[in-house]
Amino acid sequence: MKKHDPIHANHRVQRDYPAKAKFCPLCGAAMESRLLMPENAARKVCTRCGFVLFPGPKLVAGCFVIDTERVLLIRRGIEPAVGKWTFPGGYVDFGENAADTALRETHEEVGMRVALGPLLGVFNDAAITVVVYLATPGKEPPSLTVEATEVRYFGPSDIPWHDLAFPTTTDAVTAWVALVRGSNTSS
Ligand SMILES: [Zn+2]
């Protein structure tokens, strides 16, 4: 591997953050655990410049693209959870708006320029918070990419529950199925 070759993220080492973060990202000095006021919580603080590490969950945004009461799912082509089903989405970049992320990731992963609808919900696990929008397809059909090796619309009764990628995927699909079934009973 040459110094300037592009790389992929090593997800095993990413999971060591923030527990194993030892040095200040600003000045490189050691961090130590200090009681931070007024929140009265232990935080890692730089011993030289005073930078405080506030490790929040990673923010993810994505789309439930809906066509005639079916949701577009993609089979993941990359780790983590390669081969499992999820919806188009990805990390919100620093300074980026979550709605813009959902649109950008959907275009990058399945080649679709969708229109965002209302929020489906916000779903959490220990390390990530996922913002999921309902969306309607534009004129492009979904296409395959390295990130999406298969794309399919699923109705509420044919969801591949045992092959969903992440707990937050299951939570979001569960919320969508409840929404569809609820709106069908009331209509
Ligand atoms: Zn520092």
Side-chain angles (χ1 to χ4, degrees), residues 8-181:
H8 290 281
N10 176 345
H11 292 280
R12 273 185 301 277
V13 75
Q14 295 302 122
R15 283 195 282 271
D16 288 340
Y17 177 85
K20 293 189 178 174
K22 291 190 184 113
F23 299 105
C24 176
L26 299 187
C27 77
M31 311 279 288
E32 64 181 7
S33 184
R34 297 283 297 269
L35 192 63
L36 184 71
M37 302 307 288
E39 56 182 284
N40 197 28
R43 298 284 177 197
K44 287 181 179 174
V45 180
C46 177
T47 53
R48 184 193 292 156
C49 76
F51 175 79
V52 180
L53 191 66
F54 290 103
K58 286 288 289 179
L59 187 63
V60 172
C63 285
F64 265 44
V65 181
I66 307 298
D67 185 8
T68 57
E69 292 202 346
R70 295 170 308 148
V71 61
L72 182 81
L73 297 181
I74 67 173
R75 196 187 280 280
R76 289 178 57 84
I78 56 170
E79 291 290 355
V82 65
K84 303 286 191 181
W85 293 94
T86 189
F87 50 92
Y91 288 129
V92 180
D93 282 332
F94 195 83
E96 189 179 35
N97 174 309
D100 291 338
T101 305
L103 292 171
R104 174 177 60 74
E105 290 282 347
T106 302
H107 185 247
E108 286 174 7
E109 293 183 357
V110 293
M112 300 174 83
R113 295 190 188 279
V114 299
L116 288 192
L119 197 63
L120 172 65
V122 177
F123 307 92
N124 298 280
D125 72 12
I128 64 169
T129 294
V130 188
V131 177
V132 183
Y133 296 90
L134 296 171
T136 51
K139 57 182 185 300
E140 310 89 353
S143 56
L144 301 182
T145 63
V146 290
E147 294 183 77
T149 55
E150 189 180 347
V151 293
R152 248 190 76 185
Y153 283 98
F154 292 90
S157 56
D158 60 352
I159 299 292
W161 291 108
H162 297 291
D163 281 317
L164 296 179
F166 309 108
T168 48
T169 312
T170 304
D171 291 346
V173 173
T174 301
W176 175 72
V177 169
L179 182 72
V180 172
R181 296 216 161 121

